[in-house]
Amino acid sequence: YRGAGAGGPLKYDDIPWPPKMSALLHHAAAAGGGNSSGAAPADARELKLAYHRCIRRWHPDKFAARFKLRIDAGGEADRIMERVNAVARALTTEFAKHSQQ
């Protein structure tokens, strides 16, 4: 997230939001397993590893800890954190749905 420079203010539009949150987990699992086609992951282990990679990036507490000063300087903290929360919820919901199968 570069924004107005490596340490500059971070605005909502500076963040590379996932375009389709429900597909984020499956895309990450396919990419993490060496499958760049975006096909379904080979197994539950790949899905779990992908979930942990994604949630490390999008967990609201971790995101805020990493970017708080830049987010605050950008003046859109509430809007950004609302979207980060939505991404994290979508990831968790999708992972839970597939963990129960």
Side-chain angles (χ1 to χ4, degrees), residues 16-28 38 54 58 83 86-91 94 97:
W17 300 108
K20 196 170 182 187
M21 289 187 287
S22 61
L24 176 62
L25 185 60
H26 292 288
H27 179 72
C54 290
W58 293 109
R83 180 79 183 267
V87 171
R89 278 192 309 273
L91 281 168
E94 193 68 20
K97 188 168 38 173

Side-chain angles (χ1 to χ4, degrees), residues 1-90:
Y1 317 123
R2 297 207 183 270
L10 190 59
K11 300 272 193 182
Y12 183 88
D13 291 332
D14 295 333
I15 300 169
W17 300 108
K20 196 170 182 187
M21 289 187 287
S22 61
L24 176 62
L25 185 60
H26 292 288
H27 179 72
N35 180 355
S36 60
S37 69
D43 60 22
R45 182 177 180 277
E46 286 179 17
L47 194 66
K48 184 176 182 177
L49 291 172
Y51 171 74
H52 286 287
R53 276 193 310 273
C54 290
I55 205 67
R56 273 196 307 268
R57 178 177 189 176
W58 293 109
H59 189 280
D61 293 337
K62 293 186 182 302
F63 195 93
R66 211 171 319 143
F67 300 110
K68 179 168 180 29
L69 294 175
R70 293 182 64 200
I71 291 170
D72 289 346
E76 296 180 309
D78 290 341
R79 183 176 179 210
I80 289 171
M81 293 312 297
E82 184 177 315
R83 180 79 183 267
V84 168
N85 276 297
V87 171
R89 278 192 309 273

